[in-house]
Amino acid sequence: MPLQLQADVDKYYITGYPETVKITIEGPSALVTATKNTQNFNLYLNLKDLSVGQHRVQIKESGLNSELTYSIKPKYVTVNIQHRETKKFDVDVDYNKDSLATGYETGKVEVSPDTVTVTGAATEIEKIAKVIVKPILPKGIKSTFDQEVLVQALDKNGKTVNVTLDPQTVHVKIPISIQSKQVSINLKQKGTSSSTTSNLSVTSDVKTIRVYGTQDQIDAIDSSVDVPVDVSDVNSNTKKSINLADALGNKVAFTDPDTIDVSITTGSSSSSNGNSNTSSNTTDSSTNDDTSSSNDNSTDDNSEQ
């Protein structure tokens, strides 16, 4: 059965009593059944003449038929009577920003309502350091958080204060987004090629990319970014796939596309053709000398005849 209070609850804040208690009724079967079905009696605590402080009070009943006997558990309860106080508090929001996906940021947090009414013993109200909600953001969240969250009244040590909050939950909306912009890319040779040809050319069909990151990261980037291309292992015409996240380091969170293909031209093919022509020319010259020598010998033979 519910336990009722006989007290000035507008003036006093009373704690320590259970909301319901158990009562066992004995007597004539028909009367017990009727009493159980109608429940036309009350269990109460009479606190009207008690002062502020703790009191051990007996639970009493009214309305039971005199032919019935009963027992109540518990028979006594200890209540704490304090002066009642009601006060409004702003609601603070505390959440873990490390839960955001890399490069994502939060906007202005919205709380509705942004104030709550706190009621309790004056001594408890005085303990309140802040009224707060602690939304739990999923790890790696990339979209706006929008949920009802439980309100808590905490003391200076972060412990819950025993008061009544109205409302008990508030609506919390945390906008979550990432900044981006389009930039051109500058391919920069990194390292020294072991090729004998120093005339290297690095090109890509991709001319622009979109970079993503925090507002500070995006503000720090100009209209173009340098993308280093390692040529130290290049000996001939080569194609490479460049991971832009690795190339740009912590300048951005990520890029679109995340990789680009580059072509590295060494000029080795042109050099090979030049050597081949020189060799051929040398061979032709040698052949002509042999022919000339052969003609001279023929002339000498005719002279002797």
Side-chain angles (χ1 to χ4, degrees):
M1 292 285 292
L3 179 60
Q4 299 177 357
L5 297 182
Q6 293 184 355
D8 187 352
V9 292
D10 292 330
K11 183 177 180 181
Y12 298 103
Y13 189 78
I14 303 163
T15 58
Y17 62 93
E19 292 185 0
T20 61
V21 292
K22 185 177 181 179
I23 181 171
T24 302
I25 302 172
E26 296 182 5
S29 179
L31 188 54
V32 169
T33 301
T35 304
K36 178 182 178 182
N37 291 338
T38 59
Q39 296 187 8
N40 57 349
F41 64 97
N42 298 317
L43 301 179
Y44 66 93
L45 292 173
N46 185 0
L47 310 177
K48 290 181 178 179
D49 298 327
L50 299 181
S51 60
V52 169
Q54 282 194 345
H55 304 272
R56 188 169 183 265
V57 185
Q58 182 180 359
I59 299 175
K60 297 182 179 181
E61 66 78 27
S62 66
L64 276 177
N65 190 290
S66 59
E67 295 184 42
L68 297 173
T69 60
Y70 64 90
S71 63
I72 301 172
K73 290 184 179 180
K75 189 174 182 179
Y76 291 88
V77 295
T78 300
V79 297
N80 185 13
I81 303 175
Q82 297 291 332
H83 288 291
R84 186 183 188 90
E85 185 174 338
T86 298
K87 190 174 181 181
K88 284 187 177 292
F89 285 85
D90 292 332
V91 180
D92 294 332
V93 181
D94 182 18
Y95 61 94
N96 184 10
K97 289 188 176 182
D98 291 340
S99 296
L100 301 178
T102 302
Y104 282 77
E105 293 179 306
T106 58
K108 184 179 179 181
V109 179
E110 299 177 18
V111 182
S112 179
D114 57 3
T115 62
V116 295
T117 301
V118 182
T119 302
T123 53
E124 292 296 300
I125 296 291
E126 290 174 2
K127 294 178 184 178
I128 298 175
K130 58 184 175 181
V131 172
I132 195 168
V133 287
K134 295 184 176 182
I136 306 301
L137 274 59
K139 190 68 176 177
I141 187 171
K142 296 181 179 179
S143 58
T144 297
F145 178 92
D146 196 353
Q147 286 185 16
E148 290 285 326
V149 185
L150 183 69
V151 184
Q152 302 176 66
L154 305 179
D155 64 15
K156 62 181 181 180
N157 297 316
K159 293 183 178 180
T160 302
V161 180
N162 185 22
V163 291
T164 302
L165 298 154
D166 183 27
Q168 295 180 336
T169 64
V170 295
H171 194 88
V172 178
K173 184 176 181 180
I174 306 175
I176 297 174
S177 61
I178 191 168
Q179 304 302 315
S180 72
K181 73 176 177 181
Q182 195 88 359
V183 297
S184 59
I185 59 173
N186 306 316
L187 300 177
K188 298 291 185 180
Q189 294 181 27
K190 176 185 175 183
T192 304
S193 173
S194 57
S195 172
T196 56
T197 304
S198 59
N199 186 25
L200 293 180
S201 173
V202 181
T203 59
S204 174
D205 291 338
V206 178
K207 306 302 179 186
T208 62
I209 60 173
R210 182 163 288 276
V211 293
Y212 295 81
T214 64
Q215 189 65 62
D216 288 343
Q217 287 176 320
I218 297 303
D219 290 344
I221 293 177
D222 295 327
S223 58
S224 64
V225 292
D226 292 341
V227 177
V229 179
D230 188 3
V231 299
S232 59
D233 58 346
V234 174
N235 295 312
S236 60
N237 293 348
T238 305
K239 285 190 175 182
K240 282 190 172 187
S241 179
I242 304 299
N243 185 307
L244 294 174
D246 292 340
L248 298 179
N250 59 4
K251 292 181 180 178
V252 299
F254 58 91
T255 64
D256 182 23
D258 52 3
T259 62
I260 60 171
D261 292 329
V262 299
S263 298
I264 306 172
T265 305
T266 64
S268 298
S269 298
S270 174
S271 175
S272 296
N273 292 335
N275 291 337
S276 176
N277 291 338
T278 302
S279 174
S280 176
N281 289 338
T282 302
T283 302
D284 291 344
S285 174
S286 174
T287 302
N288 290 337
D289 289 345
D290 291 343
T291 304
S292 174
S293 174
S294 175
N295 290 337
D296 288 345
N297 291 337
S298 177
T299 304
D300 290 342
D301 290 345
N302 291 336
S303 176
E304 287 178 357
Q305 289 177 352

